[in-house]
Amino acid sequence: MDYQLFLAWLKNDKRMGIRSAHDVVSRLKRVVNMLDADGIDETTVSKIEDSSEFTDCSMFIKSQLRRSIKLYLEFCVSKVCN
């Protein structure tokens, strides 16, 4: 996963501020660590929802983690991801 390309895409294509973009990347890294995964795919949301660490999070955090996954999947559609 190339977090720098994802960060640039968030800033340029999604018009996010630098802080917001960094927050999304940070949340995506948290998802990857929670799942001990190498990457993100279409099944990631369902996998993370089965995680005990995820169920212990607040509703706000859960929403933000899901959003970071969805943004990354959107990035993969617009750019070729490995």
Side-chain angles (χ1 to χ4, degrees):
M1 292 178 63
D2 190 340
Y3 294 113
Q4 293 299 344
L5 279 177
F6 181 49
L7 180 66
W9 179 80
L10 290 170
K11 291 189 299 186
N12 298 326
D13 291 24
K14 288 300 194 177
R15 305 269 189 230
M16 279 190 185
I18 187 73
R19 187 171 179 186
S20 296
H22 277 284
D23 286 347
V24 171
V25 171
S26 176
R27 290 182 190 111
L28 188 66
K29 288 179 181 180
R30 183 174 176 184
V31 167
V32 170
N33 288 334
M34 281 176 148
L35 296 176
D36 194 26
D38 293 330
I40 302 292
D41 60 25
E42 298 79 24
T43 63
T44 303
V45 172
S46 61
K47 287 179 187 174
I48 199 162
E49 288 176 348
D50 293 335
S51 164
S52 61
E53 188 176 348
F54 181 79
T55 49
D56 291 341
C57 294
S58 71
M59 199 63 125
F60 175 76
I61 298 297
K62 289 178 185 177
S63 172
Q64 294 301 315
L65 293 173
R66 284 187 201 102
R67 182 170 182 263
S68 69
I69 295 166
K70 289 175 184 171
L71 284 169
Y72 186 75
L73 292 174
E74 185 179 338
F75 163 72
C76 285
V77 168
S78 68
K79 312 285 183 197
V80 178
C81 291
N82 296 332

